[in-house]
Amino acid sequence: MADFRVLVMFILSLVSVCVESKYMVYDTAQGVVKDKVNVHLVAHTHDDVGWLKTVDQYYVGSNNSIQGACVRNVLDSVVQALLADKNRKFIYVEQAFFQRWWNDQSEKTQAIVKRLVSSGQLEMINGGWCMHDEAAPHYIDMIDQTTYGHKFIKEQFNVTPRIGWQIDPFGHSAVQAYLLGAEVGFDSLFFGRIDYQDRAKRKADKHLEVIWQASKTLGSSSQIFAGAFPENVYEPPTSEFYFEVNADSPIVQDNVNLFDYNVEERVNAFVAAALSQANFTRTNHVMWTMGTDFKYQYAESWFRNLDKFIHYVNKDGRVNALYSTPSIYTDAKYAETNTWPLKKDDYFPYASDINAYWTGYFTSRPALKGYVRMLSGYYLAARQLEAMKGRNKTGPTTDYLADALGTAQHHDAVSGTSQQHVANDYAKRLAIGHKEAEKVVAESIACMLSPKPGCASLATNIQQCPLLNITNCPPTEADLSSGKKLVVVVYNSLGWKRSDVIRLPVASENLAVYDSYEKEIESQIFPIINESISIRNYYTAAYTGKPPSSTPKYWLAFTASVPPLGFSTYTISSTKKPASTPVKEEFYTHTGAQKDGIEIGTGNLKLIYSGSDGKLSHYVNSRSAIDASLKQSYSFYAGFDGTTGLQASGAYIFRPNGTYPIGSQKQNITVLRGPIYDEVHQKIKSWIYQITRVYKNKEHAEVEFTVGPIPIGDGVGKEIATRISTTIKSNETFYTDSNGRDFIERIRDYRADWDLEVNQPIAGNYYPINLGMYLKDEQSELSVLVDRSVGGSSIVDGELELMLHRRLLYDDGKGVAEAINETICVGNDCRGLAVQGKYYLRMDPLGEGAKWRRSYGQEIYSPLLLAFTEQDENKGTNFQVSKFSGMDSTYSLPDNVALLTLQELEDGKVLLRLAHLYEIGEDKDLSVMTSVELRKLFAKRKITNVSEMSLSANQGRAEMEKKRLVWKVEGSKNDDEPAGQRGGPVDPHKLVVELAPMEIRTFIVTVGKTLSRRLVSSDLSR
C-alpha cells in the first residue's frame, strides 16, 4: 500500500509539471497577403428586429422558451472581447437594437465604443433601423428607415456606413441595389439568398460577385459591386466552424499537455474549406461570415477560436487568414483591378429548392401590410404638418411613429413572416406611434386654421378617424340636427392640386355640404350595407375593446378640391330634407333570360355587366376609344399540406395543390347610381363581398374587396386570388414594380440569367407588387394598382392576378414554426381574419398607361388626410383660414415630380427630398428633365442655404461621389457604359432643382426664420 501511495504522488507531481504552461499570445495582426488565398473572417451577428420573439424580448433576453437570444448580451460581450485584442474586428447592423443598448450605457462605456468605431474594430454596416425586407416595403419606407439609422450613426460616431448587408431577406430588389445601395453611398452590397438554380450556375461560372446595374434609367451612375454568398446562408462555410458556447463544432484545442490536441486537424479543415470556396470566387479573396442569428452572446468563445485559426493557419502558410470586415474585403477586391460580370434587374423570385418558392410572403398577413402602408402615407403627411407648425421639442412629435415604421420594415415584419404574438407587437407599436402622430397633426391643423398664440390648445377640438376603413367615424356620425355643423379639413400632402371623392358614414340623409367659400356643392347619399355594419361592429370591438354605441345608416359623398401641400375646409349641415340627389338602387337576379348588358358609370368610363350572368364583361372609355372585353373572377389555391413530409405552403412558401374557382356561374348584383359615382355590389360567397365603383370624373374602376374569414372546415388551407382577364395578346410578358419605383419586365417561365427548370409553374411566376402591374400588346394596356404589398402574376396571356389573402394550416418549415392562420377574438367569439382592401384597374391605348400608374399611384400612397371639428350652426365658420397652400399660390410641382420628404430636423433645418416619377422612355411627355423652383416651394420663406446630400442625408452628395469606387464591367469599356442623365448643381441664386428621369435628390435646406412664423405669415386665405 505504501508503494502505491508513493506512485500516486509521483503521478500527481508529474501532471502538475506538465500542465504548467506559459500564457499564449496569438499573432492576429496579419493583413492581406498578395499571392495567397486570403480568408477574410467577418465576425457578425444577425439580430432580427422581431421574428419568433418581439424586438424588446430579443433585446433583454426574455421569453427564452421560444429562442435563447439576448442582444444586450451580444453587445456587452463583443465590446469586452474587442478590448482584449486590438486586431479583432466586428460588424453590427440593426440600429433598433444598438440604440437601445447605447442608451443603457454609461458615458465611460460610450467613450470606449466611440474609440472602437473610430479605430475600425467595430464597424457599422448597412446602418438602417433594421435590415428591411426587399419585397414588401415601399421605397419611401426603405429610405426613411435607412435615414433614421444613418442619422444616429453620423451624430454619435461621425461615420457613414460603406457597405450594404442584406444577408437574410428572401430575394433582392433592383431598388435595393441602385437606390438603397449606390445612391446611399455604399461601395458594395452583400446578400445571402438567391435562387438555388441561379446560385449553382453562378458558382460554376464564378459569377457570384457582379456589378449590379439595376436601373435601366440611371445606368452605370448607380451601379454597385454586389456579392451573393456561396451558400444559401450567412453562416460559417461548414458546420465545423461555429463557436457559440453551446455549439457542436470542434474548437481549436492547442494545449499539447491536454487530451484532444487538434491544431493540425483544424488547420487542414480550414484550408480545405478556403480552397473550396476559392474555386468559385474571382481573385484570391474569399469572405467567411463568422456568425449567424443572435450569436456572440459570449463573444470570447468565438474570438478565442478565431485568434487561434489566424495564428495557426498563417503559420501553416497554405492560405492567409485575417480579421476583416466587408469594407476591407471590398477594398481588396477593388485593388485587384479585375473586370466583373454585369447583372441587371433583380433576384426575384427566390427558391431554396425545387418546391420551395418564397413567394407566399408577398401576401402573408395582408392586414398588417395594409396597416403599414396606410401609416406610411400618414407619416409623410404628418411630418409635413409638423414642419409647417414647427417641431415641438417637448412633444408630441412624429418620432415614435418613425421608430414603429422603421421596425415594421424588417424582413420578418411587413413581410408577414413573424409569429403571431410578434405581429401583434408590430401592430401595437404602430398604433401607439399613430396616436402620437395624430396629436401632431391635430395641433398643426389647429394652428393653421387659427394662427395665433396658444393655437395648439385648440387641438383638443380636432378629431380624426383611424377606423374609417371599417365604417367607423364618430365625428361624422354625430347628430347635427341640434344646432351643430361639422367642419371637414381635407389636407393634400402631394405637390399638385388634386380632386378626390370623400366618403363619410353619417346618421341622417338630411345633410348638405358647403365648400370653403360657403357655397353648397353636389353630394350624394348611399345606404350602408349590412355586411359593412357587421365588419364595423366586430372589428371596432376587437380594436377598442367595446362595440360602437350607434350605427350610421348612410355614406355621404362629395368631391373635395385641395391645393398642393395644403388644405381645404368643407362644412356639413343638417337640412329639413335630403339635399343630395336620391340614390337609384337596382337589383338584378340572373336566370339567364336577360340578354341586355347593364351599364355602370356616368362619365367617360363605362363598365358593362352581362345581363345573362351578372358578371363583368366589357370596359368602355369614350374618350380614349377603348372598347374591350374585361372579366373578373375569384379562385383559391389549395395550400399543399406537407403531411407526407413534403414541402408545405406557409408563411414564406407558396406551394399550390390545385386551383379552384370561387362563386357560381351566375351572380346577382345590386347597382347603386348617383351623380358622383356608381357602385356595383356582388356577394361572391358568404365570406367574399365586392364593391366596384366607377366615378364620374375618373377613368379607372375602384374595386373594394372584403375577403374572410376564409373557411377551413374542410381541413384545406386556402390562398385567395382575383383574376382580371382581357383579350390582350401579352405574349407571356408582364411588368411588375420594384418597391413602388421602377417597372421590370417579367416573362413567364423564364429567367434572363440562366435556363430555368420549371418545377412550380404558378409559384415560380409570382412577383412582389407594391405599386402595380401591367401587361400590353400592340394596341392597348391593362394596368392594376394596389393599396398594399401583395403577390401577383400573369399565369395566362391577357390576364393579371393578385393574391389577396392567405389562411393556411401547416408550417412551411422555414423557421417561423407557426401556420399562417390569423384569428381574431372578441370575448369568446373567435373568427378567422377578414381583410378589406382595394385595387384599381384601367385600360389605355398603348403607351398612355404610365401617366395614370405614376400619378394615381402617388394618390394611393398619399390619400387625402381628413380631420373634423364641430361648430355652432348659427355662427359663421370661426376660422381665420379656411383654405391654405404651403407653396406659392400660383405654383405646383411638375406632374412628373413627387415630394417624398418635407421634415423639420432637430436643429430647425429642413430635410427635403424630391423624386422624378418616370423612367426613361416611359412616357413621351413626362420622361424628360424637369425642375422645381425652391423659392416657390418654400413660399415667402427666406432660404439661406441649400446643401445636396446623399439619399440618407448623412454626407454631402459631392463628397459621396468623390469617394465612389468605379468598377470595371466585363466585356465593355467604362466609357461605353450608359451613365444616365442627372440634374445639374443647384445655383445658390436661382435655387432651381433639376431632376432627370428616376432621379431622387435630397437636400438640407436652411431657412432664415422659424418655420412656424413663416408659415403663419404666408398666403393664408378664406
Side-chain angles (χ1 to χ4, degrees):
M1 180 65 72
D3 291 339
F4 175 74
R5 285 197 297 267
V6 171
L7 180 61
V8 169
M9 291 178 66
F10 173 76
I11 292 173
L12 290 173
S13 175
L14 182 63
V15 169
S16 67
V17 171
C18 291
V19 298
E20 186 177 342
S21 60
K22 184 179 179 181
Y23 175 73
M24 183 68 183
V25 177
Y26 299 103
D27 182 2
T28 58
Q30 185 73 322
V32 168
V33 175
K34 186 171 180 58
D35 296 323
K36 290 184 179 179
V37 170
N38 289 274
V39 183
H40 293 251
L41 299 174
V42 176
H44 80 105
T45 179
H46 174 61
D47 297 342
D48 290 300
V49 184
W51 180 37
L52 307 182
K53 305 199 300 187
T54 70
V55 58
D56 285 348
Q57 289 170 352
Y58 272 134
Y59 175 66
V60 301
S62 61
N63 209 358
N64 281 339
S65 61
I66 295 178
Q67 186 180 14
C70 177
V71 175
R72 181 162 55 187
N73 286 352
V74 172
L75 291 168
D76 285 344
S77 181
V78 163
V79 168
Q80 294 306 312
L82 292 178
L83 291 174
D85 184 343
K86 66 179 182 180
N87 298 311
R88 291 174 174 177
K89 291 178 172 57
F90 193 81
I91 64 170
Y92 199 75
V93 175
E94 296 85 3
Q95 294 305 303
F97 287 127
F98 190 84
Q99 292 189 37
R100 279 170 167 80
W101 179 83
W102 181 260
N103 292 332
D104 285 345
Q105 305 310 304
S106 67
E107 290 185 4
K108 180 180 178 181
T109 300
Q110 289 182 352
I112 290 170
V113 173
K114 286 183 177 181
R115 289 197 297 272
L116 291 173
V117 172
S118 178
S119 70
Q121 279 191 268
L122 177 61
E123 183 172 351
M124 298 296 175
I125 298 290
N126 227 27
W129 197 244
C130 67
M131 186 183 294
H132 55 228
D133 186 51
E134 297 184 40
H138 194 277
Y139 76 94
I140 296 177
D141 294 323
M142 297 164 81
I143 294 170
D144 284 342
Q145 81 86 19
T146 303
T147 302
Y148 197 49
H150 282 193
K151 179 174 177 289
F152 168 83
I153 296 171
K154 184 69 173 180
E155 289 174 347
Q156 296 298 330
F157 304 109
N158 194 31
V159 296
T160 57
R162 289 185 55 199
I163 308 298
W165 191 252
Q166 291 289 113
I167 60 176
D168 198 23
F170 327 119
H172 305 284
S173 74
V175 157
Q176 176 62 41
Y178 86 84
L179 198 59
L180 279 302
E183 294 297 298
V184 167
F186 289 162
D187 289 323
S188 59
L189 168 65
F190 297 98
F191 42 88
R193 301 182 189 273
I194 63 173
D195 188 280
Y196 73 102
Q197 296 181 41
D198 190 12
R199 186 185 306 277
K201 186 173 190 303
R202 290 185 181 281
K203 288 173 72 172
D205 296 343
K206 293 192 174 184
H207 281 193
L208 285 170
E209 293 173 328
V210 297
I211 303 304
W212 192 355
Q213 198 177 105
S215 170
K216 60 179 177 285
T217 299
L218 297 177
S220 62
S221 71
S222 63
Q223 69 188 21
I224 192 168
F225 180 79
F229 297 146
E231 301 303 327
N232 199 27
V233 289
Y234 40 88
E235 307 186 10
T238 74
S239 60
E240 293 186 82
F241 300 99
Y242 290 79
F243 302 112
E244 205 71 12
V245 289
N246 58 349
D248 296 331
S249 300
I251 64 168
V252 181
Q253 204 299 82
D254 62 341
N255 189 333
V256 295
N257 299 316
L258 302 180
F259 292 161
D260 303 322
Y261 178 85
N262 65 356
V263 169
E264 184 177 357
E265 173 189 330
R266 302 303 290 128
V267 167
N268 286 339
F270 187 103
V271 171
L275 295 177
S276 173
Q277 186 169 332
N279 285 332
F280 39 80
T281 304
R282 296 190 181 197
T283 79
N284 61 332
H285 297 276
V286 298
M287 184 198 299
W288 283 15
T289 49
M290 299 304 292
T292 183
D293 295 4
F294 302 100
K295 300 308 180 189
Y296 290 77
Q297 294 191 65
Y298 176 53
E300 188 60 29
S301 179
W302 282 88
F303 281 113
R304 182 188 302 124
N305 283 279
L306 295 180
D307 288 349
K308 293 179 181 181
F309 270 122
I310 292 171
H311 181 84
Y312 291 113
V313 165
N314 292 341
K315 286 186 70 174
D316 174 83
R318 285 175 287 172
V319 301
N320 182 59
L322 66 151
Y323 277 120
S324 189
T325 68
S327 297
I328 295 171
Y329 178 78
T330 298
D331 289 339
K333 289 282 185 175
Y334 184 72
E336 295 293 331
T337 66
N338 278 47
T339 59
W340 302 91
L342 183 66
K343 163 69 181 172
K344 295 192 175 184
D345 298 332
D346 62 10
Y347 287 91
F348 283 118
Y350 160 57
S352 53
D353 56 53
I354 289 176
N355 294 314
Y357 275 88
W358 297 51
T359 54
Y361 82 96
F362 299 161
T363 299
S364 292
R365 302 197 188 280
L368 178 62
K369 284 177 164 67
Y371 194 34
V372 169
R373 183 59 51 82
M374 183 272 285
L375 288 181
S376 297
Y378 188 87
Y379 176 54
L380 183 149
R383 282 182 292 171
Q384 292 177 356
L385 289 165
E386 184 177 40
M388 290 179 185
K389 172 186 170 291
R391 182 180 172 87
N392 189 340
K393 294 182 179 180
T394 61
T397 70
T398 56
D399 292 348
Y400 197 103
L401 184 54
D403 185 315
L405 278 169
T407 300
Q409 306 313 316
H410 169 60
H411 59 268
D412 286 307
V414 69
S415 60
T417 56
S418 69
Q419 289 199 351
Q420 184 63 58
H421 76 106
V422 181
N424 295 342
D425 184 73
Y426 291 134
K428 179 179 179 179
R429 293 173 186 278
L430 290 167
I432 294 170
H434 187 192
K435 197 72 175 176
E436 181 85 355
E438 279 187 323
K439 297 176 185 177
V440 175
V441 168
E443 287 188 2
S444 299
I445 287 176
C447 288
M448 293 164 75
L449 291 170
S450 300
K452 58 187 178 183
C455 56
S457 64
L458 302 174
T460 55
N461 300 324
I462 304 293
Q463 300 182 67
Q464 296 168 68
C465 293
L467 301 183
L468 184 57
N469 66 311
I470 56 170
T471 325
N472 186 328
C473 186
T476 69
E477 298 166 26
D479 182 5
L480 298 180
S481 62
S482 58
K484 296 288 185 181
K485 61 183 178 181
L486 182 70
V487 178
V488 184
V489 182
V490 185
Y491 177 73
N492 172 22
S493 60
L494 297 182
W496 57 74
K497 181 181 178 181
R498 65 191 285 194
S499 294
D500 210 348
V501 174
I502 307 298
R503 300 172 61 250
L504 303 172
V506 295
S508 169
E509 62 181 331
N510 298 337
L511 298 171
V513 182
Y514 302 86
D515 65 13
S516 302
Y517 304 100
E518 301 182 2
K519 178 183 176 181
E520 185 175 354
I521 62 173
E522 185 175 56
S523 61
Q524 75 179 42
I525 289 281
F526 275 2
I528 295 177
I529 59 173
N530 291 334
E531 285 78 3
S532 294
I533 295 300
S534 176
I535 290 284
R536 163 194 164 93
N537 292 342
Y538 186 80
Y539 283 91
T540 297
Y543 189 82
T544 67
K546 57 183 179 181
S549 57
S550 61
T551 302
K553 296 180 180 179
Y554 307 99
W555 284 107
L556 171 67
F558 61 92
T559 300
S561 179
V562 195
L565 209 64
F567 68 79
S568 296
T569 56
Y570 293 84
T571 304
I572 301 172
S573 299
S574 178
T575 60
K576 293 183 179 180
K577 60 181 181 179
S580 60
T581 305
V583 60
K584 296 178 181 179
E585 193 166 5
E586 304 165 4
F587 301 92
Y588 296 89
T589 302
H590 296 283
T591 61
Q594 181 177 341
K595 300 300 182 184
D596 294 337
I598 304 161
E599 185 177 282
I600 310 299
T602 58
N604 291 332
L605 174 62
K606 304 285 191 300
L607 295 184
I608 312 298
Y609 287 76
S610 168
S612 60
D613 62 16
K615 295 182 178 181
L616 179 63
S617 64
H618 268 77
Y619 180 105
V620 179
N621 187 324
S622 57
R623 181 196 59 80
S624 63
I626 290 283
D627 186 344
S629 171
L630 182 70
K631 303 181 186 299
Q632 187 243 348
S633 61
Y634 283 89
S635 62
F636 75 85
Y637 294 106
F640 205 95
D641 63 20
T643 53
T644 59
L646 300 177
Q647 177 63 61
S649 204
Y652 301 92
I653 305 301
F654 175 31
R655 189 185 180 193
N657 189 17
T659 309
Y660 303 88
I662 298 174
S664 59
Q665 292 299 312
K666 296 181 174 62
Q667 292 178 1
N668 299 331
I669 64 174
T670 301
V671 177
L672 304 178
R673 301 185 187 274
I676 298 175
Y677 65 90
D678 293 349
E679 284 186 347
V680 178
H681 290 246
Q682 296 168 282
K683 193 169 187 175
I684 312 298
K685 280 285 189 181
S686 62
W687 50 278
I688 300 180
Y689 197 92
Q690 177 174 292
I691 303 172
T692 303
R693 299 187 182 94
V694 179
Y695 295 89
K696 179 180 179 179
N697 296 320
K698 296 185 185 295
E699 296 185 8
H700 66 264
E702 174 185 292
V703 181
E704 180 181 292
F705 59 87
T706 304
V707 176
I710 299 172
I712 53 172
D714 56 1
V716 177
K718 300 174 181 66
E719 311 184 53
I720 313 304
T722 187
R723 296 192 178 104
I724 300 97
S725 305
T726 69
T727 57
I728 290 176
K729 298 177 177 61
S730 53
N731 193 29
E732 303 180 335
T733 303
F734 57 108
Y735 302 82
T736 69
D737 71 273
S738 177
N739 302 112
R741 192 74 179 136
D742 306 63
F743 278 94
I744 297 179
E745 181 183 76
R746 311 297 189 184
I747 300 174
R748 195 161 54 249
D749 294 335
Y750 173 80
R751 304 290 188 268
D753 294 332
W754 78 96
D755 293 330
L756 177 67
E757 178 185 319
V758 179
N759 300 302
Q760 288 289 326
I762 297 174
N765 285 299
Y766 253 69
Y767 292 88
I769 313 295
N770 272 280
L771 168 60
M773 60 193 307
Y774 70 96
L775 48 75
K776 63 183 181 179
D777 61 14
E778 294 180 354
Q779 281 78 42
S780 58
E781 305 177 16
L782 168 67
S783 304
V784 176
L785 302 182
V786 297
D787 68 345
R788 71 198 66 193
S789 171
V790 298
S793 187
S794 176
I795 304 300
V796 176
D797 276 3
E799 180 178 285
L800 295 176
E801 77 170 56
L802 301 172
M803 185 181 290
L804 304 179
H805 196 1
R806 316 177 74 220
R807 191 181 187 189
L808 298 163
L809 305 180
Y810 295 89
D811 174 51
D812 56 20
K814 299 305 178 186
V816 75
E818 281 186 356
I820 191 82
N821 181 7
E822 296 180 276
T823 304
I824 303 295
C825 291
V826 177
N828 294 323
D829 181 6
C830 295
R831 308 175 186 177
L833 178 69
V835 170
Q836 187 177 85
K838 295 178 182 178
Y839 65 88
Y840 311 81
L841 63 90
R842 173 167 164 149
M843 297 188 73
D844 286 285
L846 179 65
E848 295 184 16
K851 281 189 179 71
W852 178 71
R853 289 191 293 270
R854 293 299 185 181
S855 61
Y856 199 70
Q858 287 299 116
E859 295 189 20
I860 295 169
Y861 182 85
S862 293
L864 293 170
L865 187 154
L866 306 179
F868 309 91
T869 184
E870 273 192 1
Q871 294 196 339
D872 290 334
E873 175 68 34
N874 56 2
K875 295 181 181 179
T877 304
N878 58 358
F879 298 138
Q880 296 178 36
V881 179
S882 58
K883 196 168 187 176
F884 164 81
S885 175
M887 299 162 60
D888 187 294
S889 59
T890 64
Y891 187 67
S892 64
L893 293 184
D895 291 342
N896 49 8
V897 174
L899 175 63
L900 301 189
T901 309
L902 181 68
Q903 176 181 0
E904 183 182 356
L905 304 175
E906 288 86 346
D907 59 5
K909 295 179 181 179
V910 178
L911 176 62
L912 173 70
R913 262 190 210 97
L914 299 165
H916 198 300
L917 291 174
Y918 288 78
E919 297 178 71
I920 190 169
E922 188 176 9
D923 183 88
K924 61 183 177 62
D925 300 315
L926 297 171
S927 294
V928 295
M929 182 75 76
T930 189
S931 62
V932 172
E933 298 179 53
L934 294 185
R935 282 199 178 92
K936 291 184 178 181
L937 177 59
F938 289 81
K940 293 189 177 180
R941 312 172 202 177
K942 183 176 178 57
I943 298 173
T944 59
N945 188 64
V946 176
S947 300
E948 184 164 11
M949 309 298 289
S950 65
L951 185 69
S952 62
N954 66 345
Q955 58 185 315
R957 176 83 193 194
E959 175 190 1
M960 181 191 81
E961 292 293 349
K962 186 177 180 180
K963 295 186 298 183
R964 190 186 296 278
L965 302 182
V966 180
W967 298 85
K968 297 178 181 178
V969 176
E970 190 174 70
S972 66
K973 297 178 181 178
N974 281 340
D975 293 342
D976 297 335
E977 287 295 316
Q981 192 179 19
R982 298 277 185 167
V986 177
D987 186 298
H989 302 292
K990 295 180 180 179
L991 294 178
V992 174
V993 175
E994 293 180 334
L995 289 156
M998 276 290 105
E999 188 174 20
I1000 297 178
R1001 299 184 72 175
T1002 303
F1003 302 92
I1004 299 293
V1005 181
T1006 305
V1007 288
K1009 299 179 182 178
T1010 64
L1011 282 172
S1012 57
R1013 291 190 179 276
R1014 279 184 283 104
L1015 281 178
V1016 166
S1017 65
S1018 66
D1019 288 336
L1020 304 171
S1021 59
R1022 290 189 61 80

